[in-house]
Amino acid sequence: MTNTALTVLEVILGLGGVIALIRVLRGPTLADRIIALDLILLILAGGFAVESVRRDSEVLTGVLIVIALVAFTGTVLVGRFIEWRDTE
Amino acid sequence: MSVIGILVMATGVGISVLAAYGLVNFPTALSRMHASTKSASLGLALIVFGAGIAGESWELVGLALLVAAFLFVTAPISGHVVGRAAYLAGQAKGLVHDDLAGARAQPARAMPTSRDFSFVRWAGLTGVWMLVWRDISLGTAVGGAVVAGLVEALRGSIDRRSALRAVGIPGFAFRYLGLLVRSNTRVAWEVLTISNAGIREAIVAVPLADRSLSAALLVANAVSFTPGTLSVELTSDPMVLYVHVLHFESVEATITDVRTIEEMAVRVLHEPTRTLSC
């Protein structure tokens, strides 16, 4: 029962990721793409949290923190890059 | 216990998927940022929190609080940086009203002015370290104390007036949560009804009454979580916050909204009497 519910949640999260992927592919600007990629990473982190319940282990939670950190630093870096590239 | 946990997780999953859908549905780069900044962070925080409840693991619940705190600091920052970059790169289209045009705004810089060592913060950082290692032992305590001590000794503080008032924190947190729930229901509504008719985008300059940078940062953060507003630029001298509004009505209405948040933030940061003199 619990297992099925967890699978359903993971599938829905995956769908969300695919929807966000549409925005990554369509753009039209780099800002749209990076925001969508940021969301995909956060959805991935959510998937790890769901999976850690199924496996009843906390090993995956370390990965979750790393993903959240990478998502943030990556997004800010690309934001700075857009500013540097597209102004002046 | 596990049913409650799964329900909380399902709410988080729903919010994350709505954020993704909003990202596809909203018409311009800046309006899409509203969907992802407000919803993605709450979604992930709820998923991790629900996972902690469902797994009946206090470590995971603690971790969820840590992740939530981290996201509530970082989500508005990434929204601000990318939104600002998109604006400066000329990708903000269809603005009804634009205060930032031709303003040649110099962004505020947070230069450390003083170094102060706080033992409370040091102990807190050590606690965070042990939580991340998920191991409460002498080894992690000593390791955490050394790393946290280094961080605390090397960090500079932005301004001296930024002492948090413990009295104001619960009230602020409560109202903040209210804001968060309201803005997420609003984004959800916008996304589900697929009506972009109500969207009138604008950028409004809001002069802040309080001069301290830490208050301005707190306001900018809260503004990004408020329904329909997102901070895109902050300048010092004078302290002006440029806010991107999704449903623009009038400049005055926006300024009143932000001022309410500012009063809230200032109450947490310093004595209320000080703001009256400004």
Side-chain angles (χ1 to χ4, degrees), chain B residues 35 70 79 124 227 240:
Chain B
F70 175 73
V240 178

Side-chain angles (χ1 to χ4, degrees), chain A residues 24-43:
Chain A
V24 178
L25 295 174
R26 284 219 326 231
T29 65
L30 188 53
D32 294 308
R33 294 201 168 97
I34 192 60
I35 282 293
L37 276 174
D38 184 52
L39 183 61
I40 289 179
L41 278 177
L42 292 187
I43 285 177

Side-chain angles (χ1 to χ4, degrees), chain A residues 31 34-35 75-76 79 82, chain B residues 33 77-87:
Chain A
I34 192 60
I35 282 293
T75 309
V76 168
I82 296 171
Chain B
M33 246 146 259
I77 298 176
S78 45
H80 180 99
V81 171
V82 178
R84 179 165 174 272
Y87 179 86

Side-chain angles (χ1 to χ4, degrees), chain A residues 2 6 9 12 16 19 23 29 32 35-36 39 42 46 49 53 58 61 65 68-69 72 75-76 79-80 83 86-87, chain B residues 6 9-10 17 20 23-24 29 32-33 36 40 44 47 51 57 59-60 63 70 74 82 84-85 88-89 91 134:
Chain A
T2 311
L6 292 177
L9 288 185
I12 299 175
I19 296 172
R23 186 48 76 197
T29 65
D32 294 308
I35 282 293
L39 183 61
L42 292 187
V53 176
E58 274 123 28
T61 52
I65 295 182
L69 269 169
F72 169 62
T75 309
V76 168
R80 290 304 229 186
E83 213 181 306
D86 291 352
T87 51
Chain B
I6 286 174
M9 275 198 286
V17 173
L23 212 56
V24 175
R32 283 170 204 140
M33 246 146 259
S36 75
L44 181 56
I47 294 175
S57 138
E59 283 176 13
L60 214 53
L63 199 72
F70 175 73
T74 58
V82 178
R84 179 165 174 272
L88 291 176
Q91 289 153 3
R134 294 191 304 282

